[in-house]
Amino acid sequence: MAPPTARSLLASHAAVRAAASARRGRLAGDHHPPQVAALRRGDWVKLICGASFEDAADVRNLSLVYTLAGVDCIDCAADASVVGAVNEGIDVAASIVPAVQRPWVMVSVNDDCRDLHFRKAEFDPEDCPPDCSKPCEKVCPADAILLERVMIEEEHSQSDPSCGKLEGGVITERCYGCGRCLSVCPYDRIRAMSYVRDPAMTAELLKRNDVDAIEIHTTGKGTDMFNTLWSNLGESINNVKLIAVSLPDVGDSTVNLMNAIYTTMQSHLQGYNLWQLDGRPMSGDIGRGATRETVSFAVHLSSMSNRPPGFYQLAGGTNSYTIESLKKAGLFQSTTFPGAATSGVTDCQQAFIGGIAYGGYARKIVGRVLRKIPAQFGHARIEDHPDYLLEALQEALSLVGPVKGYPTLPSL
Ligand code: SF4
Ligand code: SF4
């Protein structure tokens, strides 16, 4: 647990952020849950832990840090232990700063195994040439590949890189399917194993009190798979407050597809709904240009008058350049686009883009701090290392703060 000095610093900074958010909510005359008020203002922030990222220790620490930074939602793999890790992180954040807003917990599932978020890299290191320079290990943004060259008894030359063999491989729970290792392997040894989350297990998760929302990833290749999943989820869908649909821009047919999906959902839609505009999946950590596609997607939809009701949120390539790019497009917290569709309310003050989801970039900037915790602590709890907790929070605030409009705070 953080000592009193760190705890009081965290509490005072959290109080300033909470006051800033409350003031913005009152100005909007909002009576919705704080997460929905944020969507209506256009300052909703979601942390994406990764639909396939299942390293519970990292998920817990990321959830703790981003809860303190004030995110509205944490999106994670639809897996009971990962959901438990997210909630543990939130609980610890609330124990440090009791006034902190509890983010909604969202589980991500897919309707089709072709969605890139739902795959894992796999290879047998024994098939790798021992002298391979291991570009797969270097390129992996999740530190999900670990390889070591070991000598075989009858071979003697430690200095000859062609001797021995490679051991290790993919750490499955850390792989989130970005695919970068696939394209760099010079020997084509890596396979991508796709999967679909089991609807029955998802339905069970949705019954939990600590799951607030679901996100369904659809590939934009028609509605049959979506309709099947929707039907399989049955009444369980009524247990959540928010249903998000994540989809790519598939050109002129995008809005028709969204409307068809909305028609399917409408019969069971008791809460809010959100459209996640997935630009360039799992690429936010790459750099400035990665954010272009999701902003273009938003611009494309803003010109369509027949888009379906619901909140709209960016994802896929989002990073520290996203706000600047949204501002250039005239879409940052803007309410001036025609027919701003709403969910359950009709209010011309609703921002067209409700907010931003940050994934790879959010994990990268806080992950850099998590990796500094000395290895002897194993699966470390970041709150046991107050200096690292403060540093990680500073990183998280650098991403969340500009969306939320937090006042500039002195360095933590
Ligand atoms: S797919 Fe991406 S996350 Fe998974 S091992 Fe390859 S580079 Fe790492
Ligand atoms: S790049 Fe390919 S061959 Fe080389 S270590 Fe990685 S998986 Fe094996």
Side-chain angles (χ1 to χ4, degrees):
M1 191 63 62
T5 46
R7 180 189 287 266
S8 53
L9 257 176
L10 287 164
S12 64
H13 280 256
V16 173
R17 296 195 297 278
S21 294
R23 192 167 59 247
R24 288 163 63 80
R26 277 202 300 275
L27 282 175
D30 231 315
H31 54 276
H32 297 279
Q35 293 84 356
V36 176
L39 279 166
R40 286 163 50 82
R41 292 189 302 260
D43 64 40
W44 149 282
V45 181
K46 182 175 85 169
L47 166 69
I48 303 174
C49 292
S52 289
F53 188 70
E54 294 165 331
D55 183 323
D58 261 22
V59 165
R60 172 197 183 279
N61 284 334
L62 285 165
S63 301
L64 193 170
V65 171
Y66 277 97
T67 297
L68 289 174
V71 296
D72 299 284
C73 184
I74 299 177
D75 177 354
C76 68
D79 172 89
S81 60
V82 176
V83 169
V86 171
N87 278 290
E88 187 181 324
I90 295 172
D91 289 343
V92 176
S95 75
I96 296 171
V97 181
V100 80
Q101 176 192 297
R102 209 179 164 85
W104 279 349
V105 177
M106 172 185 279
V107 292
S108 265
V109 300
N110 54 337
D111 65 2
D112 184 338
C113 67
R114 288 172 292 182
D115 189 295
L116 299 182
H117 299 86
F118 297 83
R119 61 180 182 171
K120 299 274 187 184
E122 203 178 87
F123 66 89
D124 183 347
E126 296 213 359
D127 294 339
C128 300
D131 58 350
C132 179
S133 62
K134 304 183 281 186
C136 57
E137 194 181 50
K138 296 182 186 85
V139 81
C140 179
D143 298 328
I145 297 179
L146 272 184
L147 289 163
E148 194 184 353
R149 190 165 70 89
V150 294
M151 299 311 293
I152 301 170
E153 263 181 37
E154 56 269 25
E155 295 176 330
H156 303 294
S157 177
Q158 284 281 353
S159 57
D160 181 354
S162 65
C163 289
K165 61 175 184 172
L166 290 178
E167 281 187 352
V170 178
I171 305 166
T172 303
E173 65 268 25
R174 290 194 65 82
C175 172
Y176 63 89
C178 74
R180 291 177 216 173
C181 58
L182 303 172
S183 54
V184 300
C185 175
Y187 302 99
D188 199 22
R189 294 288 193 271
I190 311 178
R191 298 170 302 280
M193 306 301 288
S194 300
Y195 63 94
V196 179
R197 290 281 179 199
D198 176 21
M201 287 175 66
T202 303
E204 284 306 306
L205 279 179
L206 298 187
K207 292 177 190 160
R208 288 172 58 147
N209 290 334
D210 55 5
V211 173
D212 306 283
I214 181 171
E215 179 161 276
I216 300 174
H217 287 251
T218 194
T219 56
K221 297 181 173 69
T223 52
D224 289 355
M225 306 285 229
F226 184 91
N227 293 346
T228 303
L229 173 59
W230 187 261
S231 153
N232 287 338
L233 290 175
E235 298 293 323
S236 70
I237 211 83
N238 296 337
N239 296 321
V240 292
K241 305 174 183 92
L242 176 73
I243 297 164
V245 175
S246 179
L247 77 168
D249 190 350
V250 288
D252 292 343
S253 58
T254 308
V255 168
N256 288 342
L257 176 81
M258 292 167 78
N259 278 306
I261 288 173
Y262 187 74
T263 302
T264 299
M265 291 196 303
Q266 216 170 358
S267 57
H268 258 54
L269 198 54
Q270 295 186 1
Y272 299 93
N273 78 291
L274 180 150
W275 301 99
Q276 175 162 287
L277 312 183
D278 198 12
R280 186 174 159 191
M282 300 177 281
S283 65
D285 58 308
I286 291 174
R288 175 183 280 268
T291 204
R292 203 173 297 130
E293 287 177 43
T294 185
V295 175
S296 300
F297 195 175
V299 170
H300 172 206
L301 282 181
S302 72
S303 66
M304 310 293 283
S305 57
N306 60 335
R307 55 182 182 268
F311 295 108
Y312 287 73
Q313 170 233 276
L314 304 190
T318 47
N319 54 32
S320 58
Y321 300 107
T322 303
I323 291 183
E324 179 191 323
S325 193
L326 261 182
K327 282 181 179 166
K328 274 190 193 149
L331 287 173
F332 183 61
Q333 298 177 351
S334 167
T335 58
T336 55
F337 280 81
T342 59
S343 177
V345 287
T346 304
D347 184 343
C348 62
Q349 286 197 345
Q350 180 175 305
F352 170 60
I353 295 298
I356 304 173
Y358 293 109
Y361 184 77
R363 299 196 296 273
K364 177 181 171 180
I365 58 176
V366 167
R368 277 195 297 243
V369 184
L370 296 180
R371 301 282 88 75
K372 287 186 194 176
I373 299 174
Q376 77 252 32
F377 293 105
H379 290 306
R381 307 182 324 159
I382 193 169
E383 70 273 24
D384 293 337
H385 306 270
D387 291 346
Y388 291 133
L389 175 57
L390 291 171
E391 189 181 339
L393 180 56
Q394 194 77 65
E395 293 287 354
L397 286 172
S398 73
L399 195 58
V400 178
V403 188
K404 292 281 181 196
Y406 293 152
T408 308
L409 301 171
S411 208
L412 286 168

